[in-house]
Amino acid sequence: MSSPSIPPPLLLLRASTSAPLSVNWRKRAARASVAAAALAGDGGCAGSGMEQLRQGKASSSPVQEKPVMSNIGKSTNILWHDCPIGQPERQKLLGQKGCVIWITGLSGSGKSTVACALSRELHCRGHHTYVLDGDNLRHGLNRDLSFKAEDRTENIRRVGEVAKLFADAGTICIASLISPYRRDRDACRALVPDSRFIEVFMDLPLEICEARDPKGLYKLARTGKIKGFTGVDDPYESPVNSEALVPDGV
């Protein structure tokens, strides 16, 4: 049986990945970018690969600047790598601006309900969104974290970093978490500059949230079966300058 014909762009891409190791890596990267542009209809960027190749040749002199390495936290000798396609280009492609909508409030205040309703409404209007739900994330990314204060801080830090990446990708990221500590929410805000962090406070009194108790968690906390539950034996620090406030919850 004869093998199916392969479109020229795919041949170019395959050639770029199977070239001998002696071929300059910049040439392979340039051919790959040209092939990818052809596959995607290039969007007016067909010449960028060749331009990068020319720049690569120009910078291939024997004298090169030594890369500046960084030590961040427990990670040492790491290097930030910039790519030519950044947030402005991604936002232009999507026709929207990436941002983080951070919904905070007590358990039972309606955070997830509002997050999903907002995502659905924006989707129907042609916007690209993604919801980061606190419980959902603890099924995977944050499954190794407890509800102790230090783990809650790490939980919010991780979600903040993920939300930052979504916003950088041009997506409207809707984060729905209790996030009880003000300093942790402020740290997430600092990750997303240029007023692209929108804090929404679900301002529902504790007694109403407890009366709802959709997951039965307040009852467990009151009987001592859950320790460190927000609003019962762990504090919730209300926002002082949130961009939006939903009174009486949902």
Side-chain angles (χ1 to χ4, degrees), residues 32-50:
S33 67
V34 172
L39 286 170
D42 76 53
C45 300
S48 60
M50 295 307 297

Side-chain angles (χ1 to χ4, degrees), residues 99-103 189 195-200 242-244:
C99 67
V100 175
I101 301 174
W102 193 281
I103 305 178
R189 178 187 292 275
S195 301
R196 291 185 292 115
F197 186 95
I198 302 166
E199 187 177 49
V200 179
S242 61
E243 281 75 13

Side-chain angles (χ1 to χ4, degrees), residues 70-215:
S70 301
N71 298 327
I72 307 294
K74 296 181 180 179
S75 298
T76 60
N77 299 312
I78 56 176
L79 177 67
W80 182 270
H81 185 82
D82 283 316
C83 294
I85 299 300
Q87 187 188 56
E89 290 78 15
R90 291 188 285 267
Q91 291 184 151
K92 183 178 180 181
L93 183 66
L94 292 172
Q96 64 181 40
K97 290 186 177 181
C99 67
V100 175
I101 301 174
W102 193 281
I103 305 178
T104 177
L106 292 169
S107 177
S109 60
K111 300 181 299 300
S112 296
T113 301
V114 168
C116 291
L118 178 59
S119 178
R120 182 175 61 248
E121 180 65 24
L122 290 170
H123 177 82
C124 291
R125 296 188 182 192
H127 294 288
H128 189 257
T129 67
Y130 197 87
V131 175
L132 296 176
D133 182 84
D135 276 8
N136 290 356
L137 290 168
R138 283 183 176 271
H139 279 77
L141 177 65
N142 296 333
R143 65 189 304 172
D144 60 322
L145 301 177
S146 71
F147 288 92
K148 294 180 180 179
E150 59 272 22
D151 278 1
R152 284 189 162 188
T153 292
E154 174 60 14
N155 176 57
I156 300 306
R157 187 195 70 80
R158 292 183 190 180
V159 179
E161 291 286 356
V162 173
K164 171 188 174 182
L165 294 176
F166 271 108
D168 187 60
T171 297
I172 299 172
C173 181
I174 306 170
S176 170
L177 305 96
I178 293 175
S179 43
Y181 309 136
R182 194 175 298 123
R183 67 177 184 277
D184 295 339
R185 298 193 301 267
D186 289 344
C188 292
R189 178 187 292 275
L191 293 172
V192 187
D194 304 325
S195 301
R196 291 185 292 115
F197 186 95
I198 302 166
E199 187 177 49
V200 179
F201 176 33
M202 303 296 293
D203 188 13
L204 190 67
L206 172 63
E207 56 270 21
I208 297 180
C209 292
E210 189 168 356
R212 290 178 170 181
D213 202 10
K215 304 174 186 177

